[in-house]
Amino acid sequence: MQEFSGEEQEWQVTVDAAEAGSRLDAALARAVPVFSRNRLKDLILAGSVSINGQAVDEPKYKLRTGDEILLVAPEPVEAEPIPEDIPLDILYEDDDLIVINKPVGMVVHPAPGNLTGTLVNALLHHCGASLKGIGGVRRPGIVHRLDKDTSGVMVAAKTEAAHNHLAAQFADHGRTGPLHRAYTAFAWGRTQQASGTVEAPLGRDPANRLKQAVRKDGREAITHYRVEARYGDEGWDITRIRCELETGRTHQIRVHMAHIGHPLVADQLYAPGFATKVNRLPEAARAAVHALGRQALHAAELGFEHPSTGEEMQFEAPLPPDLEALVVAIEPFDRAFAR
């Protein structure tokens, strides 16, 4: 039996016969699912748990029928990043989570060189007291990321329970659940197939620490793609591609498309050898590519199961202005094809 009191800070659990013999941290993880097992272990080690009135700081403690467990979680401390009043394009928000359309140029999480102006800074200001604390810190729960120069749909958790639930879905990559991620990409060249799968393991490029590369000893990486449109004229071709991820590695789509010979338009990291192709474009398209200044990639769709209601939710973000300008410039050169 579990009883709750206060503002999500104190829990009382009575051990029944089914939990007798269980480890303290494991039993608490089942009884108080708002916390991850690692977080509960930290709380136990910090002296936040007592059994029958006596403090217990051993996560492996074996429970007995009738034991009365009291968990007192401290108030979340303020996050180190500074809240900043940065406008957000909010697609949805409730007590558990927030879904936003991330703009081009915004870094997701503070890091050396980008300590301010990030999505986390913006969410800290916007969400304020509605952030209930994750890992003991009043902060938004980032469960996935987009590159600084990739726009599109992102979700962040407001509570520890929501964070754990969403993180599990992203770890599963939609293999057994409703998680769904689709990206719109514009790639150089004309793919031989209208659809396909790139299955190539990825790891850090030994020659350039800023890049990822296909490596035999890399982590599993799978991208499914489908051609949505082809554009071109004498001397140039651009293909609009829908990519769906079965894994979520750093720069995955960018590396995989370059691996099959079709790097993304304006990708300065993975398509340097394609810079001369820009000169073959018609004037309006050439200007649109130069104006991009970033890889032509957009997180267009995101679907997941709501952590509290179980509802399957789907969100879409329209192409940002810079990619819309590219479409307008190359649409007159649409090469019709049978999908």
Side-chain angles (χ1 to χ4, degrees), residues 15-215:
V15 178
D16 57 22
E19 287 288 5
S22 297
R23 287 173 47 133
L24 174 58
D25 57 351
L28 275 179
R30 288 186 287 270
V32 190
V34 297
F35 294 123
S36 67
R37 186 163 173 175
N38 285 338
R39 173 61 178 151
L40 288 166
K41 182 178 179 180
D42 290 340
L43 288 170
I44 294 168
L45 293 172
S48 296
V49 176
S50 61
I51 299 178
N52 303 326
Q54 299 294 318
V56 175
D57 60 2
E58 176 51 64
K60 297 180 181 179
Y61 179 92
K62 297 295 184 180
L63 297 171
R64 296 173 293 182
T65 303
D67 278 346
E68 296 287 344
I69 306 172
L70 176 63
L71 166 65
V72 181
E75 288 284 347
V77 300
E78 293 300 323
E80 290 184 9
I82 300 171
E84 296 180 61
D85 187 3
I86 301 171
L88 290 172
D89 182 2
I90 299 170
L91 304 179
Y92 176 83
E93 182 176 10
D94 61 22
D95 291 340
D96 295 295
L97 54 85
I98 182 170
V99 181
I100 65 105
N101 180 14
K102 188 188 85 66
V104 175
M106 175 179 274
V107 174
V108 172
H109 200 279
N114 290 286
L115 297 177
T116 60
T118 72
L119 177 60
V120 168
N121 296 111
L123 289 174
L124 284 170
H125 178 274
H126 173 81
C127 298
S130 69
L131 296 174
K132 301 303 181 184
I134 297 171
V137 179
R138 196 181 303 281
R139 61 184 172 89
I142 303 298
V143 293
H144 67 127
R145 301 190 185 195
L146 295 176
D147 295 341
K148 174 183 177 181
D149 291 326
T150 298
S151 54
V153 190
M154 285 194 65
V155 61
K158 290 185 176 183
T159 70
E160 186 138 16
H163 182 265
N164 294 337
H165 194 285
L166 290 170
Q169 292 184 64
F170 276 88
D172 182 63
H173 301 296
R175 291 188 175 101
T176 61
L179 184 77
H180 163 76
R181 288 177 290 172
Y183 293 71
T184 298
F186 294 84
W188 287 116
R190 192 173 184 180
T191 60
Q192 292 183 346
Q193 298 175 314
S195 63
T197 296
V198 184
E199 187 169 357
L202 300 180
R204 189 179 296 281
D205 188 333
N208 185 340
R209 60 181 297 272
L210 298 178
K211 297 176 64 176
Q212 298 292 304
V214 172
R215 300 179 49 160

Side-chain angles (χ1 to χ4, degrees), residues 213-228:
V214 172
R215 300 179 49 160
K216 291 183 178 179
D217 61 347
R219 301 173 68 189
E220 179 187 38
I222 303 172
T223 303
H224 305 286
Y225 71 88
R226 174 169 56 83
V227 173
E228 292 187 324

